[in-house]
Amino acid sequence: MGTHSVDLSAKVLGVLVSLEFLIVIVVGVLGLRTAPDGVSLEALRPGDFFTQGVGVLLAFGVAAFMGFESGAIYSEEAKDPRRTVSRATFIAVGVIAVFYAFSAWTLAMGVGPGAINEQSSELGPDLLFVWLASISPALSECANLLFITSILAALIAFHNAAARYFFALGRSGVLPHKLASSGATGAPVAGSVTQSVLALIVVVGFASVGAGSSLGKMFPIVTLFTWLTNAAAFGLVFLLAVTSVAILAWFVRHPKGHGVITRWVAPALAAVGLGTVAALILLNFDLMIGSDQPSALVFVMPGIIIASGVFGLVWGEILLRRRPDAGLATKGIDAVPQRPADPHPSHTNTSQDRTLS
């Protein structure tokens, strides 16, 4: 699917996600119907949010939204990218927020606000399936199956995103130009294959390191997924915070055409809020990776993210000095008009500039 048009992945994902939405809605209805303590707003008290380990909650919350911004990377395959991408992004954020809040609340009602904490501590992620099995074993099996397909859907979505990042970076000269090759449908074939190979190397290597070592078995879902998802959540928050600061800096130089909210208020609030969340994630990183004692991973995992950013800055400066044309994208929109006209703008600079901006 990664080497074909995005339409194929969209159709598969559309079916899977629709079924997943359906099962969660059914779970929500059952939760409200079977509520042992009655239906109330006890599980939504604002005061309960500011509790010990809130950084963990924020990290998982951010991770749940991970990918909402990826609409921009499909702009070259959209008929009206300026309109479609912004609309898709706002719809995604709104639907995800409302649906997650609703489903979490209905599950708490189904289990019971007085028992949800104890049951969660005892059963962990299995709580939903155990609770469903007590009502309908068949429905619990369906939920298990759709949980597996939801992981497949997430993998497809992230695979497509990574492949298109490889494509864009290869085309701009940041990575080898071979990554910019695409198939007849415009799909980033080289980027897709590269992503698949890297994923295979990481998973196999990770499992091999744990086999027979003092670390013990390192299962991809239990350890690799947990460690890297939390690191990625921190990386996303940190990246968005830095981007918010960059937006402020950009509008200092280019204030025309936008109001005060766009230029100052929105990016400033985003920078402060995201910076705070990033700090809370770092302070609670040991809890996030399930470590009961001080662990080097608390420094190693966030360190990988920050080191990647530093390496990117250094490499960008090298490109600007060695190959200014390849590094134009790192300068921002100022550089766009300086590029020569391209005979195939739909597959090269024009769409790339729009995506980057």
Side-chain angles (χ1 to χ4, degrees):
M1 285 189 284
T3 58
H4 288 75
S5 170
V6 70
D7 291 344
L8 176 61
S9 294
K11 291 175 182 177
V12 174
L13 289 173
V15 173
L16 294 179
V17 172
S18 296
L19 292 173
E20 291 154 15
F21 263 83
L22 179 61
I23 192 70
V24 175
I25 290 173
V26 171
V27 169
V29 172
L30 286 175
L32 295 178
R33 288 186 59 184
T34 62
D37 299 335
V39 177
S40 69
L41 298 179
E42 187 176 351
L44 299 177
R45 292 180 300 188
D48 291 343
F49 178 77
F50 297 99
T51 184
Q52 184 178 3
V54 66
V56 180
L57 304 178
L58 292 172
F60 278 105
V62 170
F65 280 83
M66 199 179 295
F68 81 93
E69 79 295 343
S70 62
I73 66 176
Y74 297 102
S75 61
E76 297 188 33
E77 298 164 81
K79 293 180 180 179
D80 185 2
R82 184 177 296 276
R83 182 180 180 184
T84 303
V85 169
S86 60
R87 179 182 295 178
T89 302
F90 282 115
I91 290 175
V93 171
V95 171
I96 291 172
V98 173
F99 195 69
Y100 281 175
F102 171 77
S103 58
W105 172 64
T106 54
L107 177 61
M109 292 300 100
V111 178
I116 188 70
N117 286 341
E118 181 182 351
Q119 291 291 310
S120 297
S121 300
E122 179 183 349
L123 299 173
D126 289 330
L127 171 61
L128 172 63
F129 307 111
V130 173
W131 175 74
L132 272 180
S134 67
I135 300 175
S136 170
L139 187 60
S140 180
E141 291 298 328
C142 287
N144 267 292
L145 178 61
L146 288 172
F147 170 68
I148 295 172
T149 61
S150 73
I151 295 177
L152 174 63
L155 289 173
I156 294 172
F158 281 118
H159 175 92
N160 284 332
R164 282 158 177 78
Y165 278 124
F166 279 129
F167 176 80
L169 293 173
R171 185 174 55 188
S172 64
V174 177
L175 292 179
H177 190 69
K178 290 183 179 180
L179 291 173
S181 63
S182 59
T185 61
V189 175
S192 179
V193 173
T194 301
Q195 162 62 16
S196 296
V197 172
L198 286 175
L200 182 64
I201 292 173
V202 170
V203 173
V204 172
F206 195 87
S208 299
V209 167
S213 72
S214 58
L215 296 173
K217 292 183 178 180
M218 301 173 71
F219 299 103
I221 288 292
V222 178
T223 45
L224 173 63
F225 178 80
T226 302
W227 294 356
L228 294 185
T229 296
N230 290 317
F234 165 73
L236 179 62
V237 173
F238 186 72
L239 182 60
L240 291 175
V242 172
T243 302
S244 301
V245 175
I247 291 171
L248 283 168
W250 167 262
F251 280 123
V252 167
R253 300 193 304 271
H254 307 83
K256 296 182 180 180
H258 297 278
V260 174
I261 293 179
T262 300
R263 289 186 289 118
W264 295 103
V265 178
L269 289 175
V272 172
L274 290 163
T276 302
V277 174
L280 288 171
I281 291 175
L282 285 178
L283 292 173
N284 293 273
F285 205 81
D286 54 339
L287 296 175
M288 294 163 56
I289 61 176
S291 177
D292 297 328
Q293 53 189 358
S295 171
L297 290 172
V298 174
F299 304 98
V300 172
M301 301 309 296
I304 291 175
I305 300 297
I306 296 175
S308 299
V310 173
F311 176 77
L313 287 173
V314 173
W315 181 237
E317 289 299 317
I318 293 174
L319 286 177
L320 285 172
R321 286 165 173 73
R322 291 184 178 179
R323 304 198 311 273
D325 290 341
L328 282 176
T330 63
K331 290 183 178 180
I333 304 175
D334 282 341
V336 173
Q338 301 172 16
R339 291 184 177 177
D342 193 280
H344 304 291
S346 63
H347 293 288
T348 50
N349 292 336
T350 302
S351 295
Q352 179 194 12
D353 296 335
R354 180 173 62 242
T355 302
L356 289 171
S357 65

